[in-house]
Amino acid sequence: MTKRMRAHKVEDPSVMNLVDTMHASQVPHPNVMRVLRSVAGGVENLHLTERDVQNRRAAHVREERMDDIPKLLAFFRECKANNPQFFYEFQLDDKNVVKNVFWSHASQQGDYGDYSSVVTFDTTYRTNQYSMPLAMFVGFNNKLQNVVFGQALLRDERADTFEWLVKQFRACMGGKDPIVIFTDQDSSIEKAINLVFEKMYHRYCRWHVTNKFRNELNQLNTQHPGLSETLTSVINHPLRPIEFEQAWAAMLDKYEVHESKVLMKLYDERNMWVGAYFKEIFYGTMTSTQRSESVNSTVNHGYCDNSTAIHEFAKSFLELLAHNKEKEAEEEFNSQAPIIASTFYGYDNQLSRVYTRAVYKVFVSRLKSSTAFRVRPDPDKAGYYLVKHTRPPTDFPWLCHEFWVKAVVNEEIPEESEFNCECMRIEHTGIFCPHLLCVLTNLQVAHIPSRYIPKRYTRNAREATPFDRHDKVYVGPIKCKELLRQALQVVDQIPHDLGPPNAALGVAHDLDPPAAASGVPAGQNHVVSASPPPISSTKGSRTKGVEGVDLPAPHFKRPQGKNRKCCCKRCNKSGHNITTCGREAPPPKRPRGRPVGSGTRKRKGSYESDDTQDDLASEMEDDETE
């Protein structure tokens, strides 16, 4: 019992530092106590109770929530001092309170310069204590790993807010637009993107489009077995818009679902999410925002929650970027080893030395699939070949199983050779399709022209940047700088002939770089208020939007207050539940308490009304009669 007494509590600094580290790392409380018991050699040797640890965590949370915005500004200035390329910008409301904030580290800007061709944009929630949605621009690198180009915390999800965000992102990246950007079907996001980006293709996320009608599609599949598999094939396999429309019509005829409103809505927006309508656009390996969803899951489950302060979230996000860089470095190290080619073909040996390990694995899988095709040269056109599958599909007769491939090989100048396929997968993904690989194998091609190998898939995908890509200073104390300071002290003691000390030498006393300015442009003399931002209302919340703007109604709204009635699940009537359904209603309960306005009389230290005495007397008479 002594460890519960205040005078006997012992707080070892090393143990307290360990506790604080585990709390900062989002370690659950039971795991914290398990570690402490293990370190102490048993619970009997631990001089802390569970309440002490919980109180310390609560005190740490209260301390972190104080002065949130000033701490965020201090952290941003520290990042700016470590690397002047760090970019951040605030948008303030009429009271100078932070409304939106966007930031991007130097490493993220360097990644965007290398892999900006395909970008996904999405928002996630429950990442901070103000319920501010987190918006991220995400892509993938040459190792097919997720990379984040920039992030922002927003107060609302209106069109003008997204427009401000996209403008800041474009300014941060030097005005460079992506080739294609994938988003969900949010009209505010679509409006902002079309206003800011000039040369860019905007497409919908395939998963969001189909998930929007998930319940209706499940109901259709229940009524028409096999519809789900057919719909998936119609979406993924057609080569051209004409073929897609024919396959769609065949599906409607087969299952007799011409009047389905869900399928009508999907068909009306087909050019925004069906791959057959943008085969000529390079999108890499992405057709949806699944990479953004993956990053969202990582952020929510490992680095923050709905009680995290904004400045703590910004620090945790920098840790996430450092963790991703470690994974990238590991894959980079593993890719340095020579990859053994899967075959002895000349082009296979070439690509095994050029591609990264992750991309080469995708190539090998397609090379294996190419063995399922046969090649027949066209007798009328030189350089054209008909590639046919050995076992054509029978479930979907409209599915294309014959592909025309053009292969013009120049043995004297291999770089002038020309290859393309009817499926356009090499233009769409940047990696050779099985049909084209089948022809290359048949012709025994030894060299692939460099224009068919996107640089973003190679080991040398990184471009030289005029700035340092490192987000932190990774060097220790510089001994040379300290020696120079000592030398300057000695020089100052030497009498000088003319001018101020060290003027002739042209040596500056301040050897440290000057502190970086804030991210607010010089033309904006705004003073950021230290007041925390208000709680944000997102698209899924049940409250009214900020500034009097009503947000879209949630998909499900539970009745609240007096209008809420609990009904029986068996008969759908109120007043009872499924357990008491069918029984007689219980007698009404006698109201508790004395009637209002009843007289009282003191009797042996108690207060009883005259009516109560009469009732007691009548009850005694009834008892005697019985």
Side-chain angles (χ1 to χ4, degrees), residues 46-279:
L46 185 62
H47 297 282
L48 291 174
T49 64
E50 292 194 17
R51 176 62 64 183
D52 295 334
V53 178
Q54 293 174 348
N55 291 342
R56 187 173 183 86
R57 184 167 197 164
H60 176 74
V61 171
R62 288 194 298 269
E63 181 182 358
E64 290 299 330
R65 288 185 176 183
M66 295 177 58
D67 302 328
D68 193 8
I69 299 302
K71 291 178 180 177
L72 178 64
L73 285 170
F75 173 70
F76 281 173
R77 293 191 180 103
E78 179 184 354
C79 295
K80 192 78 173 180
N82 291 334
N83 193 325
Q85 190 64 23
F86 175 75
F87 182 93
Y88 69 99
E89 184 61 84
F90 291 94
Q91 186 181 29
L92 311 179
D93 58 12
D94 53 354
K95 298 180 180 179
N96 286 342
V97 178
V98 172
K99 183 178 180 181
N100 306 307
V101 55
F102 167 80
W103 73 98
S104 177
H105 293 272
S107 62
Q108 297 178 281
Q109 300 173 41
D111 289 338
Y112 184 80
D114 301 331
Y115 316 111
S116 61
S117 54
V118 184
V119 177
T120 64
F121 177 77
D122 194 18
T123 56
T124 186
Y125 311 99
R126 299 178 63 82
T127 60
N128 55 87
Q129 62 177 340
Y130 307 110
S131 300
M132 299 178 71
L134 170 65
M136 291 185 294
F137 297 88
V138 182
F140 67 98
N141 58 13
N142 59 337
K143 304 166 187 65
L144 306 184
Q145 297 173 333
N146 297 332
V147 288
V148 185
F149 303 134
Q151 54 282 332
L153 292 174
L154 311 174
R155 183 180 296 185
D156 53 58
E157 297 176 279
R158 300 187 306 181
D160 56 345
T161 300
F162 285 124
E163 182 181 355
W164 174 88
L165 172 59
V166 177
K167 285 182 179 179
Q168 299 305 320
F169 176 78
R170 192 170 187 269
C172 174
M173 302 306 171
K176 185 177 182 180
D177 295 347
I179 296 178
V180 60
I181 184 169
F182 288 93
T183 67
D184 58 11
Q185 293 176 287
D186 193 312
S187 59
S188 301
I189 298 177
E190 183 176 4
K191 180 180 179 181
I193 287 177
N194 293 332
L195 285 175
V196 178
F197 288 133
E198 299 176 355
K199 300 177 181 179
M200 179 269 313
Y201 295 98
H202 176 221
R203 294 296 181 266
Y204 291 153
C205 165
R206 181 183 300 180
W207 181 86
H208 277 96
V209 172
T210 55
N211 188 68
K212 181 179 179 181
F213 305 104
R214 177 180 54 190
N215 297 332
E216 292 83 352
L217 291 176
N218 290 338
Q219 185 177 1
L220 278 176
N221 188 49
T222 303
Q223 299 173 356
H224 307 279
L227 177 61
S228 177
E229 293 77 6
T230 306
L231 179 62
T232 303
S233 300
V234 171
I235 294 173
N236 294 325
H237 294 302
L239 303 181
R240 299 291 182 182
I242 296 178
E243 184 179 350
F244 169 80
E245 293 170 1
Q246 292 176 352
W248 189 275
M251 179 187 66
L252 297 181
D253 295 337
K254 179 179 179 180
Y255 296 98
E256 298 181 354
V257 288
H258 298 82
E259 303 300 328
S260 174
K261 296 182 179 180
V262 175
L263 297 179
M264 290 180 183
K265 293 180 180 179
L266 293 176
Y267 186 79
D268 291 341
E269 297 180 344
R270 59 191 182 279
N271 60 335
M272 291 295 294
W273 64 280
V274 177
Y277 287 86
F278 47 94
K279 283 281 187 179

Side-chain angles (χ1 to χ4, degrees), residues 18 79 116-117 163 189 209 218 257 263 284 290 309 326 365 373 387 426 441 461 473 496 515 520 523 597 610 616 620:
L18 177 62
C79 295
S116 61
S117 54
E163 182 181 355
I189 298 177
V209 172
N218 290 338
V257 288
L263 297 179
Q290 76 273 15
E326 286 294 326
S365 65
F373 293 87
V387 181
I426 189 172
T441 302
V473 180
H496 54 279
V520 179
D610 297 336
L616 290 174
M620 293 175 63

Side-chain angles (χ1 to χ4, degrees), residues 35-49:
V35 172
L36 293 179
R37 288 193 294 266
S38 177
V39 171
V43 65
E44 64 276 3
N45 300 325
L46 185 62
H47 297 282
L48 291 174
T49 64

